[in-house]
Amino acid sequence: MQLETQKLYYTPEEYLEIEEKAEYKSEYRDGEIVPMTGGTTNHNKIAGNFYAYLKFGLKGKNYDVYIGDVRLWIPRYRQHTYPDVMVIEGQPIYTGTSTTTVMNPMFIAEVLSKSTKNYDQGDKFLYYRSIPEFKEYILIDQYQYHVMQYVKTAESQWSFTEFEHESAILSLQTVDFQIELRDLYEQVNFTENNED
């Protein structure tokens, strides 16, 4: 006998209501609520390092830098997600009356995990590209020195650059900022990466 499982679909409004009361974060993918996996300590260190250096590097300039707790709404694909690091130029554009969900990042960085790397490099990047202000995407491997940089060069055109050595310098193209990979990976122990 085959068991039938009922798949529930939610409106974005229902998702937000559930998310406000939830004990853990979930993403919204066009009607489906997907619980987020817990992050490793290395994931947290890398995202924290990038946020801290970027926040300090852009001090006094017209940018807001956000880390993992700020939600992003992508209307074209009906997606709510929590990027690891986002930069917004000028004022954030919010959805609704709350200040928990933004819509206009120009820059996003994601720290890759075994369970999310294909999604982050594939569908999620497709969704992000539908944001008019979005111009740069950084993907950071947490298991080795490896960073991928995508920069929008023209409508529907992106350039790709890879960095694979601790002394390599990642220079962002959308803001005046650069960081050496050894600083980005500060205190990361690659031998501890058996989680995820």
Side-chain angles (χ1 to χ4, degrees):
M1 182 171 142
Q2 190 176 12
L3 275 171
E4 283 198 31
T5 57
Q6 185 178 6
K7 196 170 186 179
L8 294 176
Y9 288 88
Y10 301 89
T11 66
E13 296 76 22
E14 289 169 330
Y15 157 77
L16 289 172
E17 193 175 306
I18 292 167
E19 190 72 354
E20 286 299 316
K21 299 171 188 160
E23 294 178 20
Y24 55 87
K25 292 192 293 190
S26 295
E27 293 188 337
Y28 177 81
R29 299 184 190 164
D30 193 18
E32 198 175 343
I33 295 176
V34 181
M36 294 179 68
T37 58
T40 65
T41 53
N42 282 344
H43 182 288
N44 187 271
K45 287 175 188 176
I46 294 166
N49 289 342
F50 202 14
Y51 170 80
Y53 280 101
L54 192 53
K55 180 82 172 159
F56 185 76
L58 298 178
K59 185 178 180 184
K61 299 181 179 159
N62 192 27
Y63 299 104
D64 282 334
V65 184
Y66 300 102
I67 197 162
D69 286 337
V70 175
R71 193 171 34 241
L72 172 63
W73 170 239
I74 307 165
R76 178 173 170 188
Y77 291 99
R78 293 172 41 88
Q79 303 285 319
H80 276 290
T81 185
Y82 291 91
D84 289 323
V85 179
M86 286 189 290
V87 176
I88 291 177
E89 184 175 13
Q91 294 298 311
I93 297 172
Y94 297 108
T95 59
T97 57
S98 129
T99 59
T100 58
T101 307
V102 299
M103 297 174 57
N104 60 323
M106 60 182 292
F107 167 89
I108 295 173
E110 296 282 10
V111 180
L112 301 176
S113 65
K114 289 174 186 168
S115 62
T116 65
K117 69 179 180 178
N118 291 336
Y119 175 60
D120 287 345
Q121 294 176 78
D123 287 346
K124 195 183 251 187
F125 186 28
L126 169 71
Y127 305 150
Y128 288 164
R129 291 195 308 265
S130 72
I131 299 167
E133 296 84 357
F134 182 60
K135 296 180 183 85
E136 188 163 12
Y137 192 37
I138 303 296
L139 295 164
I140 307 164
D141 192 324
Q142 67 173 297
Y143 309 106
Q144 61 185 335
Y145 288 107
H146 185 218
V147 175
M148 295 176 279
Q149 177 184 38
Y150 293 90
V151 178
K152 188 173 186 175
T153 56
E155 192 61 39
S156 301
Q157 292 181 9
W158 291 76
S159 69
F160 171 70
T161 309
E162 238 172 337
F163 305 88
E164 298 182 282
H165 192 271
E166 66 180 315
S167 62
I169 295 173
L170 169 64
S171 293
L172 300 187
Q173 302 300 303
T174 51
V175 294
D176 183 17
F177 175 81
Q178 59 183 31
I179 186 169
E180 205 168 328
L181 262 59
R182 71 169 45 95
D183 292 327
L184 181 60
Y185 285 90
E186 184 183 347
Q187 294 188 322
V188 169
N189 182 346
F190 294 122
T191 62
E192 290 179 356
N193 270 318
N194 54 7
E195 311 117 273
D196 215 47

